[in-house]
Amino acid sequence: MTTREYGIQAIKDEAEALLDLIPKMDKNFDTAVNLILQCKGKVVVTGVGKSGHIGAKIAATFSSTGTPSFFINPLDVYHGDLGVMTHDDVVIAISNSGQTDELLRFIPMVLHMEIPIIGMSGNPRSLLAKYSTCHLNVGVKKEACPLNLAPTSSTTAALAMGDALAIALMQERDFRPQDFAHFHPGGELGKRLLTTAQDVMRSNDLPVFPPETRLGTAIMLVSEGKLGLGVAEVDGKINGLITDGDIRRAIERWQADFFNHTVSDIMTRTPKTVKPETKITEIQNIMQQYKIHSVLVVSNDNKLLGVVDHYSCMI
């Protein structure tokens, strides 16, 4: 075979894999669409490795077609990112084998929060399928890779299933051309470049407490704030920051002695802050660089004005 023929065969193999998906689209697909339609929060897409790359694209497609969504790496969840998820969300978990260890360790956390899980794998008998609210079978007979090793047909199948969900949701929501334009540049790009922290920050009912607050009390205040964080203040000025991740690690470290400690024992004393006039695009760069999901908006004299989180930047 010539090099061109190898390429043609790869495309044929992947096209066949896509057509083979059609008989697998059963009532679970309808259930998945209904779960997302009824979702009052965000669609959280997760996966590891190549499945993660596919998941990120699916999340982007959802967000640009009227379904608020974002991608999260399950590895980051163990370092505080669980705080971005709420009971109102829906999770789409992607794994070709359905047995990916890093993903399976994430699933119990989601189940504990009673968040519905849409599993997407090539193995309907996998652990992922077992613990999912509904499971989408994206199994393929073989990869386009001649060694049948590199994820090719399988990732194409998962991507196509994500597109199928997005299109079905667009139809159900009667998503129109003007809606599509609203979510895309250039008008939207200009808006993002001009929007500042002050325009989107949350400034009311912020979880604020003294650094000497006992951690048991702080847990309740952080939970009530629904931001995944709490701000320690002294004389009206920011003294430190704690997150859900800080609290979880403190529990693991101190266990029964946890309740004898205070916020000052675990807080970050130099949290990332921005001024009210900081552009949203700059805030997103800060979040990405430091792998955080919120920044504090402060005045010139370091007084807390508000909080901008990951959701706030989704304009």
Side-chain angles (χ1 to χ4, degrees), residues 256-267:
D257 195 47
F258 169 83
F259 293 95
N260 294 323
H261 288 270
T262 66
V263 169
S264 62
D265 294 329
I266 66 170
M267 69 183 186

Side-chain angles (χ1 to χ4, degrees), residues 93-163:
I94 307 172
S95 165
N96 185 42
S97 68
Q99 301 286 119
T100 306
D101 181 65
E102 297 90 344
L103 188 64
L104 293 178
R105 285 190 284 130
F106 169 60
I107 296 301
M109 304 180 195
V110 180
L111 294 175
H112 179 72
M113 296 176 69
E114 299 182 343
I115 297 175
I117 300 172
I118 300 170
M120 188 185 298
S121 82
N123 183 1
R125 293 178 294 277
S126 63
L127 287 175
L128 174 59
K130 177 180 178 180
Y131 290 106
S132 295
T133 309
C134 63
H135 177 258
L136 303 178
N137 185 356
V138 290
V140 298
K141 295 176 183 177
K142 65 184 182 69
E143 301 288 1
C145 165
L147 302 177
N148 198 32
L149 294 174
T152 45
S153 297
S154 59
T155 49
T156 300
L159 182 60
M161 185 62 76
D163 287 342

Side-chain angles (χ1 to χ4, degrees), residues 272-274 278-292 294-295:
K272 299 304 175 186
T273 61
V274 298
T278 305
K279 299 292 190 296
I280 287 298
T281 50
E282 183 179 344
I283 292 174
Q284 289 179 310
N285 290 335
I286 293 172
M287 290 181 179
Q288 182 176 6
Q289 179 181 355
Y290 294 99
K291 300 187 185 305
I292 56 178
S294 301
V295 296

Side-chain angles (χ1 to χ4, degrees), residues 112-226:
H112 179 72
M113 296 176 69
E114 299 182 343
I115 297 175
I117 300 172
I118 300 170
M120 188 185 298
S121 82
N123 183 1
R125 293 178 294 277
S126 63
L127 287 175
L128 174 59
K130 177 180 178 180
Y131 290 106
S132 295
T133 309
C134 63
H135 177 258
L136 303 178
N137 185 356
V138 290
V140 298
K141 295 176 183 177
K142 65 184 182 69
E143 301 288 1
C145 165
L147 302 177
N148 198 32
L149 294 174
T152 45
S153 297
S154 59
T155 49
T156 300
L159 182 60
M161 185 62 76
D163 287 342
L165 287 172
I167 298 307
L169 289 163
M170 289 176 68
Q171 295 287 354
E172 290 294 322
R173 290 196 169 107
D174 193 25
F175 195 78
R176 298 177 179 275
Q178 57 266 34
D179 300 315
F180 188 83
H182 175 75
F183 286 103
H184 290 77
E188 191 62 21
L189 178 60
K191 181 180 177 182
R192 290 173 63 82
L193 291 172
L194 293 173
T195 302
T196 66
Q198 187 172 6
D199 296 326
V200 299
M201 70 183 185
R202 173 173 155 186
S203 57
N204 61 311
D205 299 324
L206 298 175
V208 176
F209 35 74
E212 61 267 22
T213 303
R214 294 283 183 178
L215 289 179
T217 302
I219 287 180
M220 293 185 289
L221 295 174
V222 169
S223 178
E224 291 171 1
K226 297 180 179 180

